[in-house]
Amino acid sequence: VPRRRYSGYVTNGGTEGNMYGLYLAREAHPKGIVYFSEDAHYSIPKICRVLHLPSASVASQPSGEMCYEALARRMQKNRRVPAIVLANIGTTMKGAVDRIGAIRSVLRRARVRQSYIHCDAALGGMLLPFMPGSPPFDFRAGIDSLAVSGHKFIGMPMPSGVVIALRKHIERVRTNIEYI
Ligand SMILES: *Cc1c(COP(=O)(O)O)cnc(C)c1O
C-alpha cells in the first residue's frame, strides 16, 4: 500500500489510538455497530460509550481469539447495519490474535455491505511483525486503522502510542486551523 494512502500520529497511549480509530469508523459509518470479542481490552466498551457507538460483544475461543461463528451469528441479525469490527492483535490476558482474513470472510458471507476494521495492536503490534509466520494485520490485509502502544513492548518511559489510518478516513474529519 503506497505511503501516501495512510497517515497517523503519536498518541498518549493505546486507549487514545483505539478511540481515534473508532472515531474515524463512526464518521465513516454513523449508523454502524462495533463488534469486539469478550477478550477485548476493558477500554473498548468504555470508548464505545464515550463515542455513543452501539456495540455487540462476541464470544471468544478458549485461546482468547474471537469465535468467527459467533461473529457470523451476530452479524446475520444486523446485516443491513454497517459493521465496525475491532480486531485484537494480541489480547491483554492471552496474547491471542484475531485473524483479519477470517473476519473479512465473515463480512463477505454475511453480505454486510459497509464495514470498517480497526486493529487494537496495543500489545502485539510491536512484536508480531518481527515473528516469522505471524498473521497479517496491515492495510494489505484489508484493515482501515491500527493502534499500537509505545510503553508496552518497546518500553517507552512515558505513556505513548502510535495510530495509523487510511488517509481517506482522516480526510473525512479534517478541519483547517487558521493559525497553523
Ligand atoms: C494496554 C492495552 C490497551 C490500552 O492501552 P493504554 O496505553 O493503557 O491506554 C488497549 N488494548 C490492549 C490490547 C492493551 O493491552
Side-chain angles (χ1 to χ4, degrees):
V1 176
R3 176 63 190 87
R4 65 187 143 76
R5 286 195 47 217
Y6 56 91
S7 184
Y9 77 97
V10 176
T11 68
N12 282 289
T15 304
E16 184 189 330
N18 287 331
M19 169 125 53
Y20 183 74
L22 291 176
Y23 164 56
L24 294 182
R26 190 197 69 190
E27 295 304 291
H29 304 298
K31 299 222 155 70
I33 299 181
V34 186
Y35 298 87
F36 53 83
S37 87
E38 286 166 351
D39 282 58
H41 190 258
Y42 64 84
S43 63
I44 303 302
K46 188 162 74 173
I47 290 167
C48 292
R49 209 149 61 227
V50 170
L51 292 174
H52 278 283
L53 270 166
S55 61
S57 167
V58 176
S60 304
Q61 305 175 39
S63 64
E65 184 176 343
M66 176 182 278
C67 171
Y68 306 107
E69 290 92 68
L71 178 66
R73 279 195 300 277
R74 281 293 214 169
M75 260 176 202
Q76 255 137 32
K77 290 196 206 125
N78 299 300
R79 135 171 1 152
R80 286 192 181 75
V81 183
I84 299 165
V85 184
L86 180 122
N88 290 308
I89 307 301
T91 61
T92 310
M93 302 314 277
K94 297 176 182 168
V97 178
D98 298 340
R99 310 292 152 136
I100 304 304
I103 291 170
R104 291 186 68 199
S105 85
V106 170
L107 286 164
R108 260 195 314 277
R109 278 185 282 125
R111 294 173 205 258
V112 172
R113 274 207 300 273
Q114 293 183 298
S115 64
Y116 185 109
I117 300 177
H118 173 76
C119 291
D120 176 4
L123 203 68
M126 290 287 191
L127 194 70
L128 289 171
F130 305 102
M131 289 171 63
S134 65
F137 57 95
D138 54 14
F139 294 120
R140 281 171 302 183
I143 70 155
D144 294 274
S145 55
L146 173 143
V148 299
S149 171
H151 54 260
K152 287 191 178 164
F153 265 106
I154 57 168
M156 287 283 287
M158 68 289 280
S160 62
V162 169
V163 62
I164 53 174
L166 288 177
R167 207 179 273 275
K168 65 178 182 188
H169 298 311
I170 297 171
E171 292 298 326
R172 201 175 285 119
V173 301
R174 204 175 135 149
T175 54
N176 259 323
I177 312 296
E178 209 172 323
Y179 65 87
I180 54 174

